[in-house]
Amino acid sequence: MCIIGAGPSGLAAAHALVGRGLGFVCLERAPEVGGIWRQPGAGERGPGYQSLHINTAKEVTGFAAFPMPDSYPAYPGHREIATYLRSFAEWAGLLPHIEFRTEVLSVRQDLDGSWLVDSRGPNGKTLCRRFARVIVSSGANTEPLVPDTLPTGAGSFTGRMLHSVDYQDAREFEGQRVVVVGLGPSAVDIASDLSRSAARTVLSVRHGLHVVPKQLYGISCDVIAESSWFTAMSMPERREYIEQALLVSRGRLSDYGLPEPDHPLFSSAVTVSDEIFSRIRHGAVTARPGIEALEREVVRFTDGSTVEADAIIWCTGYRMAFPFLSGGCPVGPRGKVELYRRVVAPERPGLYFVGLIRPVGAITRSLEAQAEWVARLITGDAELPPQEEMHQEIDTYLEAVAARYGHGLGASIQIDVVPYVRELQREFQREPHTV
């Protein structure tokens, strides 16, 4: 077997294979485990800024068999998570299986059903190897996404423009005037971080998103999302419960100069942040609408207001890309991810995806369930249904998710943790056919 990626998803897959005595190799482009959470070397691009913390409680973010240390805070930081993931890999005996600084160039299925994987190692040489099965665990966010059309006058801007992937430390912007674009997790984190070093921090927001604190009623929001009493509610009841809690805890987003969302709660990914509200309230961050035009050092917003800026940081997300795979997988002709139970490519037996999901709640229990199911499929302890049944499940899922989240590519990988894990656990019980 071959696992691609040694971030949390790849480590979950590797742990499941080790637990069943299965041989495999894990190919990791970076020099260390951890994915976005690993510690980058000096001058290395990304993957996570130094102030990055998890937004989900450590109790449900750590692996079930290897909890995070009691000494860790409720929401550990970048360095702590990197250390934890390295410790997990050592504890589980995964490191001997991982080839670091190895980039996967191509994954293709041979006529006999096996998989040919071309990779380039640290010595620069390419190698082609044959595997019975391939598990893709390289993540959904791989290529930085900058707006296709930059504001009018972008070419005249005299300051620095960069994507959030290139942001590392607020001290780099000491005394500067910075505009941060976006309202996703990276945008609010970076704006809050910058506001302690920059001379002025402006948060430019074109479209409203639901922003929730890490805790409500003293309980982590991801713990609430996985609680039996919460999942027993209907969707309207869940929305009303959280909306009322948000009004009590933070008021309306418009009170902070942020646009109100034009869509209901739980119909798009939410942004989790405690700090951005405080930084805005204290005047350390100023909210502005979208950027209309740039002229040398001047940034003009759609409401006509202007600021002078030394830097613009585009926190505009990432493009889902799997350049080593052929077209049509995992993104099908409809422009959506088309995988059975968000894991299996029906027309490509032996190809699995672990971690290609966006959960409402912490991701780890879903990763563990995916990895366990894949391991059972490999050993023959579970079996896939016929292709027709798999396609029916994909169509039903995509219809349901489109009704709730819309038709975008990102919407096609949204899940609710508890129902999703239950679905996979039912797959555990699908017994192999007898011959």
Side-chain angles (χ1 to χ4, degrees):
M1 269 70 69
C2 175
I3 298 173
I4 300 175
S9 302
L11 295 179
H15 185 221
L17 297 189
V18 164
R20 290 180 172 266
L22 297 170
F24 67 94
V25 62
C26 178
L27 306 182
E28 170 54 56
R29 180 171 55 183
E32 184 55 91
V33 301
I36 191 174
W37 297 102
R38 69 180 177 82
Q39 287 297 317
E44 184 183 356
R45 192 183 197 197
Y49 39 92
Q50 295 301 315
S51 63
L52 180 63
H53 283 67
I54 60 171
N55 285 333
T56 52
K58 69 175 183 180
E59 292 81 4
V60 292
T61 306
F63 292 105
F66 189 78
M68 291 189 188
D70 292 339
S71 60
Y72 273 23
Y75 302 95
H78 190 191
R79 295 179 185 277
E80 291 160 317
I81 298 298
T83 300
Y84 166 76
L85 292 174
R86 173 72 184 195
S87 297
F88 173 76
E90 293 173 350
W91 169 82
L94 308 182
L95 294 178
H97 298 271
I98 303 174
E99 295 181 12
F100 293 108
R101 303 182 189 274
T102 301
E103 180 181 8
V104 175
L105 305 175
S106 173
V107 176
R108 60 198 187 279
Q109 194 164 27
D110 205 356
L111 295 177
D112 64 359
S114 64
W115 290 88
L116 300 175
V117 178
D118 294 323
S119 61
R120 180 167 50 232
N123 59 5
K125 294 182 179 180
T126 59
L127 179 65
C128 179
R129 283 174 277 191
R130 186 181 300 273
F131 296 97
R133 295 172 177 84
V134 173
I135 302 171
V136 180
S137 302
S138 54
N141 300 324
T142 52
E143 295 183 359
L145 181 61
V146 176
D148 293 333
T149 303
L150 292 173
T152 302
S156 72
F157 183 62
T158 56
R160 179 185 176 194
M161 285 200 287
L162 65 154
H163 188 272
S164 58
V165 72
D166 294 309
Y167 177 85
Q168 282 292 305
D169 196 328
R171 290 173 293 183
E172 181 183 352
F173 299 87
E174 185 80 38
Q176 296 186 26
R177 303 159 299 180
V178 186
V179 175
V180 178
V181 180
L183 192 59
S186 294
V188 296
D189 280 359
I190 290 173
S192 299
D193 190 35
L194 277 169
S195 67
R196 291 179 170 82
S197 297
R200 181 176 61 227
T201 304
V202 173
L203 184 63
S204 172
V205 182
R206 186 175 296 274
H207 302 294
L209 290 175
H210 292 280
V211 184
V212 302
K214 292 183 178 180
Q215 293 190 337
L216 292 171
Y217 302 117
I219 306 172
S220 292
C221 288
D222 51 293
V223 174
I224 292 176
E226 297 183 26
S227 300
S228 58
W229 58 267
F230 186 74
T231 56
M233 297 181 184
S234 66
M235 181 56 68
E237 289 172 332
R238 292 184 217 172
R239 283 195 175 115
E240 182 179 4
Y241 177 85
I242 299 298
E243 285 169 353
Q244 291 301 313
L246 291 176
L247 283 176
V248 171
S249 65
R250 57 143 170 88
R252 300 185 182 278
L253 292 177
S254 55
D255 297 336
Y256 302 84
L258 297 170
E260 294 288 349
D262 61 1
H263 54 275
L265 187 64
F266 301 135
S267 62
S268 75
V270 301
T271 295
V272 179
S273 175
D274 290 326
E275 197 172 14
I276 191 62
F277 300 121
S278 173
R279 302 310 292 163
I280 290 175
R281 285 293 199 196
H282 287 84
V285 174
T286 303
R288 289 285 184 268
I291 297 175
E292 184 175 81
L294 303 173
E295 185 177 353
R296 295 184 62 79
E297 75 277 7
V298 175
V299 180
R300 185 169 72 248
F301 302 99
T302 55
D303 63 354
S305 63
T306 62
V307 297
E308 294 181 352
D310 301 298
I312 298 174
I313 302 177
W314 300 95
C315 299
T316 43
Y318 294 82
R319 180 183 290 107
M320 192 185 301
F322 300 90
F324 48 82
L325 290 172
S326 61
C329 182
V331 180
R334 292 176 285 186
K336 301 176 182 180
V337 172
E338 299 187 14
L339 298 173
Y340 176 65
R341 301 297 185 200
R342 327 291 75 78
V343 173
V344 176
E347 271 79 33
R348 293 170 171 80
L351 181 65
Y352 311 103
F353 292 80
V354 172
L356 191 53
I357 47 175
R358 288 181 181 166
V360 178
I363 195 173
T364 310
R365 298 297 169 259
S366 300
L367 296 181
E368 291 173 321
Q370 287 183 326
E372 174 63 18
W373 182 41
V374 169
R376 290 177 183 234
L377 290 171
I378 291 172
T379 59
D381 294 322
E383 187 169 279
L384 293 171
Q387 280 193 15
E388 181 180 355
E389 185 176 332
M390 287 194 280
H391 282 295
Q392 288 175 348
E393 188 275 340
I394 292 170
D395 291 341
T396 299
Y397 165 78
L398 290 177
E399 290 173 6
V401 82
R404 178 172 165 185
Y405 292 102
H407 294 275
L409 174 59
S412 66
I413 56 174
Q414 288 285 157
I415 63 161
D416 291 320
V417 171
V418 173
Y420 179 65
V421 170
R422 287 174 181 163
E423 290 174 6
L424 292 180
Q425 289 172 342
R426 285 194 292 269
E427 291 290 342
F428 295 174
Q429 309 306 318
R430 190 188 291 269
E431 295 183 359
H433 297 305
T434 57
V435 179

